[in-house]
Amino acid sequence: MKPAEDNIDLERSDFYVHAPTTVGERTFFYVLRAGVFSYQPGYEVYRASFNSFLLMHVLSGSLTADLDGTRLEVRQGQFCLVDCYAPHSYSAAVRSRVAWMHFDGPDARAYYRYIVARRGNVFTLPNPDIADRVLSTLIDAMARSRVVSEPEMGRQVVTLLTQLADDRYVTRRNDAPRAIEEALSYISSHFAQQITVPQLAARTYMSEYHFIRVFNKEVGLTPHAYITRMRVHTAEYMLV
């Protein structure tokens, strides 16, 4: 389908629509709309709400996004993740080409919050090949009107979002996530022994206060609560 908006190169822009079944909507991730647009200078869109989440990959050029009052620049090669349930807008001051998909699903908001809490709404993948390939595969399947089972579509969306969520595939703003991963690994190997917070903080080269704050942000539990949970789960398994 061709877009009806202004300042889009219609010859180089197409999008496709998918309507999930009731069962698919309740069970899986699903793509609602996807495509590749070539924006001309002056393109702009504003929405008070558009019931979905949006992932954009800027293939060339750049965009300016305003997400619930926060202004962000999205440069060539970067990804932008948008909660379209909230007010948002984006525009192009230069010629730009963008691959995008509107998606949703039962766990979409949880994924969105997880990714944005760790990466922000705009981020770079050191190696975007996998994410780019999955996004292209989804768009290509819709373009060819190829029947993709809803479980398979859901799997592909999860694969794409996992690339955005996993520390190994995303350029970090700091080393805190990796330091906490190392602390979790140490806890996993030594939870049967005495482990103190100062000991863990020292291993991550953080102050005790900073370590607790970062750990709680990354894990959702204090270090003491996480160690206790690990021991309780192990005890339950051994009792069974």
Side-chain angles (χ1 to χ4, degrees), residues 91-156:
S91 59
V94 298
R95 290 184 178 275
S96 306
R97 189 162 175 80
V98 179
W100 56 269
M101 73 172 188
H102 282 274
F103 68 94
D104 214 331
D107 295 323
R109 182 161 298 280
Y111 266 83
Y112 171 83
R113 287 174 174 165
Y114 182 86
I115 294 168
V116 170
R118 298 166 72 85
R119 318 292 175 216
N121 291 91
V122 177
F123 45 85
T124 302
L125 296 178
N127 183 358
D129 290 350
I130 296 177
D132 207 20
R133 185 167 62 249
V134 175
L135 182 57
S136 296
T137 297
L138 285 164
I139 294 172
D140 184 61
M142 296 172 74
R144 296 171 182 271
S145 298
R146 206 178 100 214
V147 177
V148 179
S149 71
E150 291 185 312
E152 174 60 18
M153 176 180 281
R155 184 192 68 79
Q156 291 182 1

Side-chain angles (χ1 to χ4, degrees), residues 52-94:
S52 62
F53 295 88
L54 169 64
L55 177 66
M56 297 185 287
H57 184 201
V58 178
L59 305 175
S60 65
S62 63
L63 297 177
T64 298
D66 191 320
L67 308 182
D68 203 15
T70 301
R71 190 177 179 86
L72 301 167
E73 296 298 322
V74 192
R75 298 182 177 85
Q76 179 175 327
Q78 290 187 309
F79 291 80
C80 182
L81 187 59
V82 182
D83 176 5
C84 294
Y85 287 91
H88 62 282
S89 66
Y90 47 93
S91 59
V94 298

Side-chain angles (χ1 to χ4, degrees), residues 213-225:
R213 186 175 63 82
V214 173
F215 192 99
N216 198 19
K217 178 183 176 182
E218 296 291 327
V219 180
L221 295 168
T222 65
H224 177 73

